[in-house]
Amino acid sequence: MNAADAGRIDRDIQLRQAGQCSWGECQHTGIVRVGRRCTGDGGIDQFDRIPVPAELEKEQGGHHADRPRALDPDHRIRHGAILIDEWVAYARNLVGKDDLPACTYDSQISFAQALTEAAKQVPNALLLISVPQSTNEIGGSNGEMALEGLRNVLQRIATEWRPASPNEGFEIVRRRLFEPIPSDAAGAHRDAVVRSFKEMYTLNKNEFPAETREADYGDKLTASYPIHPELFQRLYDDWSTLPNFQRTRGVLRLLAKTIEELWNGGSKDVMIMPSSMPLDDIEVKNELLRYLPNEWDPIISQDVDGEGSIPVRIDATNSNLGRLSACKRVARSIYMGTAPGSGAAKPGIGEQRIKLACAMPGEAPAVFGDALRRLSDQARFLNQDGDRYWLDTKPNLNRTADEHKQSYLNDRDTLLVELNQKLDREGKSRGAFAGLHLTPPNSASVPDAPATRLVVVPSQYPHKKGEDSAALKWAKEV
């Protein structure tokens, strides 16, 4: 049942109250309508119209003296579940209005109380109502009022269920996206993959976080297979902190697009890692960008993934890195691990965690360390503070300084003029010399006299020790 059903049920109740329809026309009261959904049409005549409890009759103005008080007076329901989703979103639209077919906000709250009381009397019935948690989902002051009203009714008899924990979330996502392993042979393949990861972490213990050496990490690999637990952790610990990212639905939608692209692209990865995320695919890229500011789009194209991006260019010019697409995988891992928290007080992840997000059995973790260093030298938006690396919407200071330097070097004539002007300003004192000549354009500017004079070579004639430099040639001519 959805919230719209609840609205129609309330409308039936109000029409019956006003004498505008018969029980048959209105499908009886709201409780009977719920009973019909639980027992089928054949059981509708079995419901007795028993007076409601005194507190409900008083609360609703005595209008429901012939309203059924139970979902299942004849115990026809042996097992039943009533699920109502998006009720707050529906009820908030009724606040302050009394001319809608869905009836009024007060009637929604009255129905919620009647329904919970009726469900309480059925031994094997479960009434499950979802309520939003985030401010965006609640939807303003009307949403807060609707949430508070429903919560006050439900809390009297309800048991509150908290959202799934990360480990439960892993299991939900894995079961939704993948079928159970069908045979012992397939299970043996999974176990072999898990074993190879554990061996890699044990043999290279200084390259990976300490958690990979804990006894239960192999169980985590098995439980999340074929998705690496590090990817789950990044999604649940980092991306789920974003206001619009839904812990289960958001992860399901993102991973479904990712798996489709990896399958169509013939990926050979033995597990789906943070470095496996195909950020060059428009569907996956847009799914991630929907939770972040628009500035991230060009950053991905330039510093993370895609044709012409810096990681792809570095991989193309270095066979050792290119063989594993190491720079691209490092950039993907940093993006997945740091983009949601780039504005935090202490952003970034360490080199060990980056390697954990990248390395697979048979690959040397040190290759990804080399890729990280090369990438940090060239990527414009990759920031570093000690052992912590993160992507940000602001370019890093080193790259900004290099770009300014390069802009001066590219305009050589302007740079030389500025250098010569600075020499003219700073070199006014001739000291013990008979004369001072600052950056003369040629030998004609230096008089042919026996006295010793100081001549400052123009900046366009550089000198390097041990070489027949342009400065020496100019001096000989002067």
Side-chain angles (χ1 to χ4, degrees), residues 126-146:
L126 173 66
L127 172 61
L128 181 61
I129 301 172
S130 67
V131 293
Q133 286 193 313
S134 70
T135 303
N136 288 341
E137 290 179 305
I138 292 171
S141 58
N142 286 353
E144 291 176 358
M145 180 177 177

Side-chain angles (χ1 to χ4, degrees), residues 86-96 105 109 131-151:
E86 304 291 351
W87 202 346
V88 170
Y90 185 84
R92 71 187 179 210
N93 295 319
L94 307 178
V95 175
Y105 167 74
I109 301 303
V131 293
Q133 286 193 313
S134 70
T135 303
N136 288 341
E137 290 179 305
I138 292 171
S141 58
N142 286 353
E144 291 176 358
M145 180 177 177
L147 176 61
E148 186 65 20
L150 289 171
R151 182 172 284 164

Side-chain angles (χ1 to χ4, degrees), residues 166-168 170-171 174 181 187 190-199 201-202 211-230 232-233 271:
N167 288 340
E168 292 170 338
F170 299 170
E171 187 69 13
R174 187 181 63 79
I181 294 178
R190 176 203 59 199
D191 295 342
V193 170
V194 170
R195 212 164 32 246
S196 62
F197 270 97
K198 283 291 292 178
E199 289 173 358
Y201 298 146
T202 301
E211 67 200 61
T212 60
R213 300 188 295 277
E214 295 177 358
D216 65 342
Y217 200 76
D219 297 334
K220 291 182 180 179
L221 287 165
T222 301
S224 64
Y225 180 87
I227 300 172
H228 195 281
E230 179 65 10
F232 272 134
Q233 187 169 342
M271 290 190 82

Side-chain angles (χ1 to χ4, degrees), residues 379-391:
R380 187 176 183 217
F381 295 94
L382 179 57
N383 293 266
Q384 178 182 1
D385 182 11
D387 186 46
R388 300 184 71 82
Y389 299 83
W390 71 96
L391 284 163

Side-chain angles (χ1 to χ4, degrees), residues 20-34:
Q20 296 177 13
C21 67
S22 67
W23 284 115
E25 291 169 340
C26 290
Q27 299 186 51
H28 305 274
T29 64
I31 300 300
V32 173
R33 185 163 180 170
V34 174

Side-chain angles (χ1 to χ4, degrees), residues 359-375:
M360 286 183 280
E363 299 173 343
V367 173
F368 299 101
D370 183 26
L372 175 61
R373 284 180 283 277
R374 291 175 184 264
L375 194 60

